[in-house]
Amino acid sequence: MSGTPYSYIVTAQKPTAVNYSMVCNFTGSDDEESQDLIVFKGNCIEVFNLKNDKLQVFESLPLTGMVRSTGYYRPHAQKRDVLLVLTEGEYYCVLSYDTTLKKIVSKAIGNVKDKVLREIETGQKVVIDPDDRLVGMLLYDGQLKVIPIEANGLRDPFNLSLDETKIIDLKFLYGCMRPTLCMLFEDTKRQRFIRTLTIDTRELEFIPGPWSQQAVDCGANMIIPVPLPLGGVIVIASTTLSYYAGTSEMVYCVEVQYTQTLCFARINREGTRYLLGDCRGVLIVLVLTVDVQQPGKVSGIIIDYLGVTSAPETISYLGDGFVFIGSVFGDNQLIKLLDEKNDQGSSFEVVEVFPNIGPIVDMCLVESNRGGQGQLVTCSGAYKDGSLRIVRNGIGLHEQASLDVSGIKGIWSIRASSSSLFDKFLIQSFIGESRILAMEADELSEIEMEGFEGLRSSLFCGNMLHDSFVQVTDRSVRLIDTVTFALLSEFVPERPITVASGDVHTIVIACSGCEVISLNVDPASRAIKKAASIVLDHDVACVSLGMLPSLPTGKMEVEGAESAVAWPVVALGMWTDNSIRLHELSSLHEVSRTSITGETQARDVLIVELESKYYLMVGLGDGHLLTYQMLSNPMIRVDDATHEAPTASMEVTLTDKRLCALGTLPVTFSCFRNSGEMCVLAACDRPTIIYSRNQKILFSVLNTSKSTKINGMTPFHAENFPDCLALTSESCLLIGNIEDIQKLHIQSIPLGEEPRRIAHSSKSSLYAVVTSKTVMTNGIEETMCRVLFLDDSSMELISSYDLELLETGFACTTVEFAADPLSSSASTSKEYFAISTGYIVNDEPDADRGRVLLFEVSSPVRKVDLAVERDFKAAVYSLAAVGGRLAAGVGSKVQVLNLRVMDDISQATYSSRPELLVECSHSGHILSLYLKVKGDLLLIGDLVRSMTVLQYHGGRLLELARDYNSNYMRAVEIMGTTEDHFFGSDDHGNLFSLRRNEAATSEDARSKLDPESEFHTGEFVNVMRRGSLVSQPAESDTAAAGGGRGLQKLPDASSSSTSGGEAAATPSSGFGDSDSIFKADYSTVTGLPPGSHSLLFGTVSGSIGCILGLSLDSYRFFRAIEKALQSLNLLPSRTGLSQQDWRSFRNELRCSPQRNAVDGDLVERVLDLDLASLSLLAREVNDELNNLPPSCSNVDSNAFPAAPSSTPGLIFKNIGTNKYQLSAEEIVRRIEDIARLH
């Protein structure tokens, strides 16, 4: 299938790097102040509260624009602080928390952009007068933008000229009658000074400040204003810390070890204690001592080293010794200061760690051994905080114990008494026998029970009331005392039992001969009594006992059998007619029936409550999952045959039937609670945890260390294994607890050095990681680089190779040569790790030397050796394998290298090592920084000359097409099943795609890459990779996969008696093929084959983005949602920069609207709208779709057969005129489906 020019761009992982943080009273009430931590990550604001020594998220808000600088102030006569946020494009906004609406609102917006002036190189800054009179913005060289603060808001800004062009830092001073700035600047002789300027708000000009200009340390980079009564400033330099009072020369100065201080936080209101953090992560406390005789005078400076944290970008003191460390290069931390040093020599302890995977320098997508689930391994962090991060879509299992036991068919946990808080026994069922494991002396050991039948397989086991538990075998139902292990009662049916289910009150069994029996336990006699029975027309395949509310608005706990407002109901899955039936438990009267379309039988059923909604789940034999929402209503039932008195009954309606492909093997269910919330484990070859968030069903794959099928699970909350699960496979029993249920899970592999490039070899099961590390040699900093080879399972270091001095690694890949002279067999080829390098000297603009290194891995010991190396007269910036060769970007050229023995060597030296020889090359580039290959095509990303497409054919490199626009590239990739769509990111935060027009008639048109889509992310994208974190089940039916992990919308159960025939006859929209999103039974929400049109990209801020290809119909649908949101302003911009303007492509030369790309972040915010807003949105979306341009709406109406409006599944008001009538529910379902693809 040819690719399409349309894409859906969405953030799979939000930014994790913290750029700014502050502590203020943002959400406090009028009566009580609060200490809120405000954290800024990329374009996101997060508000935290410190509760129980933990940071809890109070509010989160995405902004239209990346945050450039920020500050806070308190408006006059108000008790809460407000935030002033400066975003890209020089837009600013004032945000406050509305205690009535319980959300963040925008109080003021504006734009301070100047199109003439040059943006300041040291970074834009916002400074606010401590007396809340002025806001200063340092945006451009030689100019300060000033905005006065008044009681009713901000006044119009005005500009003040600055003589100094290189301003290092700028702060307002405390205690001045007029707003006064203290400025740290550098002159043309590279000397640094501090100077004060007072702002005259009447004359709108600068006047000389109270201090005369003073020279400071040439390494000074920061000033800290000190509040009254001390006043003055602290000047932070690379080797000194100095205090200046302003009335005289420097008062006090202390020397420190050479470093670069990055941020500070004031500890107390008096301003005598400060925390300083440097680039090495060293945390220092600085104390200004006060003269006892003169309380307003500083008498000295004391510093103390507290310890090492992540390299901080921002520090915020929260009170009571708690400090937040926000980092760009390492994890964010919450620490608590200690009175004394601990055993590690630190004066603080780390309370919480918040993972940061930024900056993502490189990454590789690896197929793990967990049932085909992919994982992304990123090169993250920098300096000492460098690490590899393993990012998985799913939930990890922390194994506590493992037992090699084969053949387990079922497992149940049992408590020793009704009052016990912990589980004690694990009952395992095998073919022909059952065994009991008990927690004895802190370990699990096998025991025997007198009343337990161990020579038969168990079908069901579970605790009952009054210190007893039940065992169901194919012969009988046995009630056993949990204390004495004696048999209390036994029920033996006439026919063998096939399946069973139960709770603490009731057991339901199905016997051969189509009989279903419900059993109760008499509390007085502790005997099993038959409550009801029924003979059906077919045998039962599976059974589940559940509860439904007796009123439509009723709510109950799934496990709360004592609830008086619940109706017990039994779900039965039938063999012959492939139906699902619901029966009342008390009489076993049938209340609902629905048929499963298709040939696959139901293997398990489950009734479960998730977030106050009741669902019926059906696990099918082919690995698919069916879900229904259950609606119950009370009713009065009259038996016409017996004419008995009317009895209370209920009516159950199954709605919202949806289909999802989980795996390929039969699905079975088990329930457990995680953090108090009900969850479901669907066990199959790809075990999946099902849970609910915001009334939506979500799925996460359970990642275990075992690649075998998980066939059973039970909660096992034992004293030695709290909050654990016991899982079984064909070969083992696992006990462990799961991670917090969330979309992505991140595992950190600390390296202590900065990873720069990574590649994975599936043959040798190794990662090759190119790293760099800064070391001190004789007082001089030197950067050393090396190559690490890590085991891909344990991440243990297998081998390493040190690069030469001044040599930097630029690229890393794997390659197999077509005719490998080092291979021992002609039929097999070796896989090499290829590393490219360059020699970087500080005084030289370009590297004049580089190398390509080939490493081979010897099996079975996995010894890594350098096999071949070759020198080049330029740095080798990029590598890629193509056609059994190695393509390399050498300086301004692209060369194809082959591993072979030279033809002109003598026979005597024929056994010498092969060499890397240049087979062909291509010139015409500035620097070939990026190189991607698909098939025989090579995509080159240039430093300046955008992208070029080459073809390797017949031992030659042929230029097919190039982009003649100038773009400073940061990453490139090829997308789609055909090699004709090329994505790239530039140095201005833009994503764009190009297409090669092979069908053009002229050579000039064919040699030009035409722009297709353009989109602004605001992020600096460092790397792109083909693939997706959400993998597809192997050998699954695409037409039934529902877009992979998404649910496919099917006709409701009320119309299911048609066996799906009517749904299959539903006509398409006429605008697309059978996969059109406008069909009620669409197979994929993107309209394209699952997984074939997907890219991942990593950014500097630690965010991971996903680009999904869309068909024309899917693009029109999601684009209509985007336009409707903008026209209705349902999600208003808080920054003054509209969503449409923010997503517009822009660089130094032009600005153009977003094109052929959908903002997935905006679209998926629809899921947070209320019902009234969704109704407005649905009406606007339909209007957008019905107002298609002529080229799209000129469709022959005769192509559509007439259909009545009652036809199930149709979303058109009139098929003949192509009028769309999407409901809000149908729009939300499609958004949920595409949200599950990333």
Side-chain angles (χ1 to χ4, degrees):
M1 175 184 289
S2 178
T4 67
Y6 312 109
S7 56
Y8 182 92
I9 302 175
V10 66
T11 303
Q13 168 67 49
K14 293 181 179 180
T16 56
V18 174
N19 304 102
Y20 308 96
S21 69
M22 60 191 67
V23 177
C24 62
N25 177 29
F26 184 64
T27 65
S29 63
D30 294 337
D31 301 327
E32 183 180 359
E33 289 197 358
S34 65
Q35 286 286 93
D36 300 310
L37 173 66
I38 318 296
V39 174
F40 295 85
K41 302 176 182 177
N43 69 319
C44 299
I45 298 177
E46 294 179 352
V47 182
F48 292 88
N49 296 141
L50 183 64
K51 294 182 179 180
N52 301 323
D53 297 346
K54 300 288 184 181
L55 285 177
Q56 299 180 2
V57 178
F58 179 82
E59 186 69 53
S60 180
L61 177 71
L63 298 177
T64 52
M66 307 300 291
V67 177
R68 293 288 180 256
S69 188
T70 184
Y72 72 92
Y73 66 91
R74 183 167 298 185
H76 303 296
Q78 294 191 19
K79 296 184 179 181
R80 284 191 302 272
D81 299 316
V82 298
L83 306 178
L84 189 142
V85 182
L86 177 70
T87 64
E88 58 181 310
E90 285 68 52
Y91 285 88
Y92 71 89
C93 63
V94 177
L95 304 176
S96 69
Y97 183 76
D98 191 312
T99 56
T100 303
L101 299 176
K102 302 296 183 181
K103 66 178 183 179
I104 299 174
V105 297
S106 180
K107 291 294 186 181
I109 56 176
N111 184 265
V112 288
K113 186 176 182 63
D114 193 314
K115 297 182 179 180
V116 178
L117 298 178
R118 185 179 66 178
E119 187 174 319
I120 190 169
E121 295 181 357
T122 54
Q124 297 177 335
K125 295 182 177 66
V126 170
V127 290
I128 299 178
D129 174 41
D131 294 320
D132 302 326
R133 294 170 291 186
L134 289 178
V135 175
M137 296 183 182
L138 189 61
L139 309 176
Y140 304 102
D141 286 336
Q143 184 191 86
L144 180 72
K145 186 78 65 173
V146 179
I147 307 177
I149 302 174
E150 294 186 345
N152 57 353
L154 301 179
R155 284 175 48 189
D156 294 335
F158 60 89
N159 298 327
L160 295 178
S161 298
L162 295 168
D163 296 333
E164 297 77 12
T165 57
K166 189 172 183 179
I167 298 176
I168 307 301
D169 199 9
L170 190 71
K171 294 290 193 308
F172 277 100
L173 295 178
Y174 285 88
C176 298
M177 294 296 295
R178 294 181 178 181
T180 302
L181 285 167
C182 182
M183 181 169 49
L184 171 65
F185 67 95
E186 183 178 278
D187 64 6
T188 56
K189 298 180 180 179
R190 296 191 175 182
Q191 294 182 337
R192 298 191 175 183
F193 302 86
I194 57 172
R195 178 189 177 192
T196 58
L197 293 171
T198 299
I199 299 175
D200 189 337
T201 55
R202 291 187 177 181
E203 300 296 329
L204 306 182
E205 64 179 3
F206 279 128
I207 59 177
W211 301 1
S212 59
Q213 179 170 309
Q214 300 182 55
V216 296
D217 193 309
C218 61
N221 68 310
M222 183 186 301
I223 53 179
I224 303 174
V226 180
L228 296 179
L230 298 179
V233 296
I234 301 171
V235 178
I236 308 297
S238 56
T239 57
T240 60
L241 305 175
S242 308
Y243 171 76
Y244 293 82
T247 56
S248 62
E249 295 296 323
M250 178 181 60
V251 176
Y252 282 100
C253 176
V254 295
E255 292 186 357
V256 294
Q257 185 180 358
Y258 178 84
T259 186
Q260 182 181 6
T261 302
L262 301 176
C263 50
F264 73 94
R266 195 177 73 203
I267 296 178
N268 57 354
R269 290 181 175 272
E270 297 78 14
T272 58
R273 300 174 66 209
Y274 297 87
L275 290 172
L276 307 179
D278 68 1
C279 60
R280 300 169 299 172
V282 176
L283 191 64
I284 300 175
V285 62
L286 181 150
V287 180
L288 296 177
T289 58
V290 181
D291 194 330
V292 179
Q293 304 297 328
Q294 297 177 299
K297 184 178 180 182
V298 173
S299 61
I301 298 177
I302 300 175
I303 61 172
D304 187 19
Y305 293 88
L306 302 182
V308 179
T309 66
S310 298
E313 183 73 11
T314 176
I315 300 177
S316 294
Y317 184 74
L318 303 173
D320 296 331
F322 287 95
V323 181
F324 176 75
I325 306 293
S327 180
V328 170
F329 299 127
D331 289 333
N332 308 305
Q333 299 171 318
L334 177 67
I335 65 173
K336 185 174 184 180
L337 303 181
L338 305 176
D339 295 331
E340 298 180 355
K341 293 186 181 295
N342 56 23
D343 296 338
Q344 290 76 35
S346 297
S347 297
F348 62 83
E349 61 177 354
V350 178
V351 179
E352 278 188 286
V353 175
F354 306 91
N356 168 32
I357 60 175
I360 300 175
V361 183
D362 194 16
M363 63 188 187
C364 65
L365 190 61
V366 180
E367 186 85 359
S368 74
N369 60 353
R370 295 173 174 87
Q373 184 71 9
Q375 62 185 28
L376 193 68
V377 184
T378 67
C379 295
S380 300
Y383 308 111
K384 72 175 185 64
D385 295 317
S387 64
L388 297 180
R389 301 298 173 108
I390 301 175
V391 183
R392 296 189 184 97
N393 186 296
I395 299 171
L397 178 72
H398 298 295
E399 295 182 14
Q400 305 294 327
S402 177
L403 184 64
D404 292 333
V405 181
S406 60
I408 301 178
K409 301 302 179 183
I411 188 167
W412 302 269
S413 59
I414 302 295
R415 296 192 175 184
S417 67
S418 301
S419 60
S420 177
L421 299 177
F422 299 101
D423 297 320
K424 184 175 182 180
F425 306 108
L426 274 178
I427 299 179
Q428 309 161 81
S429 176
F430 301 85
I431 296 177
E433 65 171 329
S434 297
R435 303 174 190 170
I436 301 176
L437 294 176
M439 287 297 305
E440 301 286 352
D442 297 336
E443 64 180 24
L444 279 171
S445 58
E446 188 171 343
I447 66 168
E448 293 184 357
M449 290 185 180
E450 176 186 348
F452 187 81
E453 191 165 8
L455 298 180
R456 289 183 180 271
S457 300
S458 296
L459 302 177
F460 172 80
C461 296
N463 276 103
M464 306 295 287
L465 295 179
H466 311 297
D467 298 339
S468 62
F469 78 94
V470 66
Q471 179 198 14
V472 181
T473 67
D474 62 338
R475 190 187 72 86
S476 66
V477 180
R478 303 168 68 88
L479 186 66
I480 304 167
D481 192 296
T482 56
V483 179
T484 64
F485 303 154
L487 178 64
L488 301 175
S489 177
E490 184 178 18
F491 175 82
V492 182
E494 296 179 359
R495 295 180 178 88
I497 303 172
T498 56
V499 290
S501 179
D503 58 19
V504 294
H505 288 290
T506 307
I507 305 100
V508 178
I509 60 175
C511 304
S512 60
C514 310
E515 185 180 12
V516 177
I517 304 173
S518 67
L519 306 170
N520 293 331
V521 176
D522 183 16
S525 62
R526 302 179 75 182
I528 301 174
K529 303 292 185 181
K530 183 176 180 180
S533 66
I534 188 174
V535 177
L536 305 175
D537 53 348
H538 301 295
D539 280 326
V540 177
C542 46
V543 60
S544 174
L545 177 62
M547 297 288 179
L548 291 179
S550 60
L551 297 175
T553 57
K555 180 181 182 298
M556 56 157 292
E557 294 295 328
V558 172
E559 297 176 347
E562 300 80 4
S563 177
V565 295
W567 281 97
V569 63
V570 179
L572 303 175
M574 311 304 293
W575 278 118
T576 306
D577 66 350
N578 211 14
S579 65
I580 303 296
R581 306 180 188 184
L582 299 179
H583 293 250
E584 284 183 298
L585 179 62
S586 58
S587 63
L588 292 181
H589 172 74
E590 183 178 320
V591 295
S592 180
R593 179 187 296 197
T594 184
S595 296
I596 303 174
T597 57
E599 300 178 356
T600 306
Q601 298 285 336
R603 296 301 179 89
D604 201 4
V605 291
L606 177 70
I607 299 173
V608 65
E609 178 197 3
L610 301 176
E611 287 193 321
S612 302
K613 284 188 177 182
Y614 293 84
Y615 297 93
L616 174 65
M617 298 184 179
V618 183
L620 303 182
D622 61 355
H624 284 74
L625 167 72
L626 271 174
T627 64
Y628 302 85
Q629 185 176 346
M630 305 177 67
L631 302 178
S632 62
N633 292 296
M635 60 178 293
I636 301 297
R637 179 168 55 86
V638 178
D639 194 330
D640 295 332
T642 62
H643 302 285
E644 294 180 355
T647 58
S649 182
M650 65 175 172
E651 180 184 20
V652 179
T653 305
L654 300 181
T655 65
D656 195 14
K657 179 182 177 182
R658 311 187 81 187
L659 177 67
C660 175
L662 298 183
T664 59
L665 298 179
V667 177
T668 59
F669 301 112
S670 303
C671 293
F672 67 97
R673 289 191 178 273
N674 180 263
S675 301
E677 298 180 358
M678 181 63 72
C679 302
V680 178
L681 174 69
C684 60
D685 54 323
R686 301 176 73 247
T688 302
I689 292 178
I690 307 170
Y691 59 101
S692 180
R693 288 287 187 274
N694 299 322
Q695 305 294 317
K696 295 181 286 290
I697 294 181
L698 301 176
F699 301 85
S700 287
V701 174
L702 180 63
N703 297 312
T704 69
S705 63
K706 307 295 182 182
S707 60
T708 55
K709 167 187 176 292
I710 297 297
N711 56 27
M713 182 278 292
T714 184
F716 188 55
H717 179 56
E719 194 166 4
N720 292 340
F721 300 102
D723 301 318
C724 283
L725 305 177
L727 300 102
T728 63
S729 69
E730 289 296 333
S731 59
C732 70
L733 166 66
L734 290 175
I735 298 177
N737 49 16
I738 65 171
E739 300 170 324
D740 293 334
I741 293 180
Q742 59 192 47
K743 189 168 186 179
L744 294 178
H745 279 269
I746 301 169
Q747 178 185 354
S748 178
I749 311 296
L751 297 178
E753 49 195 303
E754 179 179 347
R756 299 177 59 88
R757 296 292 183 266
I758 186 170
H760 177 257
S761 169
S762 57
K763 282 190 173 182
S764 58
S765 300
L766 290 179
Y767 290 106
V769 184
V770 181
T771 67
S772 66
K773 186 175 185 178
T774 302
V775 296
M776 297 292 294
T777 305
N778 299 325
I780 301 175
E781 286 190 350
E782 293 183 347
T783 300
M784 305 296 294
C785 296
R786 59 176 182 160
V787 185
L788 307 179
F789 298 94
L790 308 174
D791 180 86
D792 64 359
S793 297
S794 65
M795 303 306 287
E796 294 180 354
L797 182 64
I798 302 299
S799 181
S800 66
Y801 179 86
D802 294 333
L803 300 181
E804 296 179 359
L805 186 65
L806 303 179
E807 188 178 20
T808 300
F810 282 124
C812 181
T813 189
T814 58
V815 60
E816 295 183 27
F817 292 95
D820 187 357
L822 294 178
S823 178
S824 57
S825 172
S827 60
T828 60
S829 59
K830 288 186 176 182
E831 187 176 41
Y832 298 90
F833 283 109
I835 311 295
S836 69
T837 70
Y839 290 79
I840 306 298
V841 181
N842 294 334
D843 297 333
E844 298 180 2
D846 297 317
D848 59 357
R849 183 188 169 200
R851 288 196 298 169
V852 172
L853 311 173
L854 292 184
F855 293 91
E856 63 177 339
V857 181
S858 303
S859 58
V861 294
R862 291 200 298 177
K863 180 183 178 183
V864 183
D865 296 305
L866 178 63
V868 180
E869 65 174 304
R870 178 188 169 112
D871 289 341
F872 293 87
K873 294 183 179 180
V876 185
Y877 294 104
S878 54
L879 293 173
V882 56
R885 309 286 192 273
L886 181 64
V890 184
S892 61
K893 298 180 179 180
V894 176
Q895 297 182 341
V896 176
L897 311 176
N898 193 11
L899 182 64
R900 59 191 180 120
V901 178
M902 296 189 63
D903 296 334
D904 57 350
I905 59 177
S906 64
Q907 184 68 25
T909 61
Y910 188 78
S911 60
S912 62
R913 304 293 292 180
E915 297 184 17
L916 278 172
L917 303 179
V918 178
E919 189 173 89
C920 57
S921 64
H922 182 274
S923 303
H925 313 280
I926 303 300
L927 285 179
S928 305
L929 297 181
Y930 312 104
L931 185 58
K932 293 297 175 70
V933 170
K934 193 169 188 183
D936 60 353
L937 292 189
L938 291 85
L939 176 64
I940 292 91
D942 192 79
L943 174 67
V944 177
R945 294 183 176 177
S946 192
M947 290 187 274
T948 303
V949 178
L950 307 178
Q951 182 182 34
Y952 175 70
H953 180 70
R956 299 172 57 198
L957 280 176
L958 307 175
E959 181 175 323
L960 299 182
R962 69 166 57 233
D963 181 16
Y964 289 94
N965 296 310
S966 178
N967 291 300
Y968 293 82
M969 303 305 297
R970 295 184 66 94
V972 296
E973 189 53 275
I974 306 173
M975 185 184 197
T977 54
T978 58
E979 299 82 7
D980 55 0
H981 292 273
F982 311 101
F983 268 85
S985 65
D986 64 12
D987 207 30
H988 296 275
N990 299 308
L991 287 174
F992 62 97
S993 68
L994 306 173
R995 180 169 185 167
R996 181 166 57 100
N997 189 1
E998 296 180 90
T1001 56
S1002 66
E1003 183 63 30
D1004 290 341
R1006 287 195 297 270
S1007 64
K1008 181 181 179 182
L1009 290 176
D1010 298 324
E1012 277 194 322
S1013 62
E1014 295 176 330
F1015 186 84
H1016 181 74
T1017 64
E1019 297 263 23
F1020 292 123
V1021 177
N1022 282 336
V1023 58
M1024 289 183 177
R1025 288 288 183 265
R1026 287 193 297 272
S1028 172
L1029 279 172
V1030 183
S1031 59
Q1032 305 299 314
E1035 301 176 3
S1036 65
D1037 182 8
T1038 303
R1045 306 302 294 171
L1047 287 172
Q1048 177 190 351
K1049 177 67 173 70
L1050 298 174
D1052 286 341
S1054 59
S1055 62
S1056 61
S1057 59
T1058 61
S1059 300
E1062 290 174 334
T1066 303
S1068 68
S1069 65
F1071 302 132
D1073 54 20
S1074 60
D1075 286 333
S1076 171
I1077 195 174
F1078 295 121
K1079 291 187 62 178
D1081 57 346
Y1082 64 91
S1083 59
T1084 60
V1085 71
T1086 63
L1088 301 174
S1092 62
H1093 295 76
S1094 178
L1095 297 180
L1096 295 172
F1097 60 86
T1099 70
V1100 170
S1101 67
S1103 65
I1104 298 173
C1106 184
I1107 305 174
L1108 299 172
L1110 297 178
S1111 67
L1112 178 59
D1113 278 3
S1114 295
Y1115 170 73
R1116 286 181 181 140
F1117 171 75
F1118 291 113
R1119 183 62 178 151
I1121 297 175
E1122 205 175 1
K1123 289 182 178 179
L1125 288 171
Q1126 294 168 358
S1127 61
L1128 294 174
N1129 199 27
L1130 293 177
L1131 299 171
S1133 169
R1134 303 296 203 284
T1135 65
L1137 177 64
S1138 69
Q1139 191 84 15
Q1140 185 176 1
D1141 291 339
W1142 181 39
R1143 295 308 191 186
S1144 296
F1145 179 97
R1146 57 181 176 271
N1147 55 25
E1148 296 174 343
L1149 302 177
R1150 65 184 180 94
C1151 180
S1152 58
Q1154 157 192 349
R1155 182 159 62 99
N1156 289 343
V1158 175
D1159 183 358
D1161 291 337
L1162 176 64
V1163 169
E1164 292 177 15
R1165 288 178 64 191
V1166 169
L1167 301 177
D1168 299 325
L1169 294 177
D1170 55 33
L1171 292 177
S1173 298
L1174 286 173
S1175 299
L1176 290 174
L1177 177 70
R1179 185 171 58 188
E1180 188 70 18
V1181 168
N1182 288 321
D1183 290 343
E1184 287 284 348
L1185 292 173
N1186 292 324
N1187 292 328
L1188 293 171
S1191 61
C1192 301
S1193 59
N1194 187 17
V1195 180
D1196 183 8
S1197 61
N1198 294 325
F1200 300 92
S1205 58
S1206 61
T1207 301
L1210 295 184
I1211 61 175
F1212 309 110
K1213 180 169 61 179
N1214 189 314
I1215 293 296
T1217 56
N1218 293 310
K1219 291 294 184 180
Y1220 295 93
Q1221 198 176 21
L1222 283 159
S1223 67
E1225 183 185 20
E1226 288 164 331
I1227 291 174
V1228 168
R1229 286 196 189 105
R1230 285 157 174 78
I1231 297 175
E1232 288 177 354
D1233 283 351
I1234 199 166
R1236 293 186 181 101
L1237 296 183
H1238 61 82

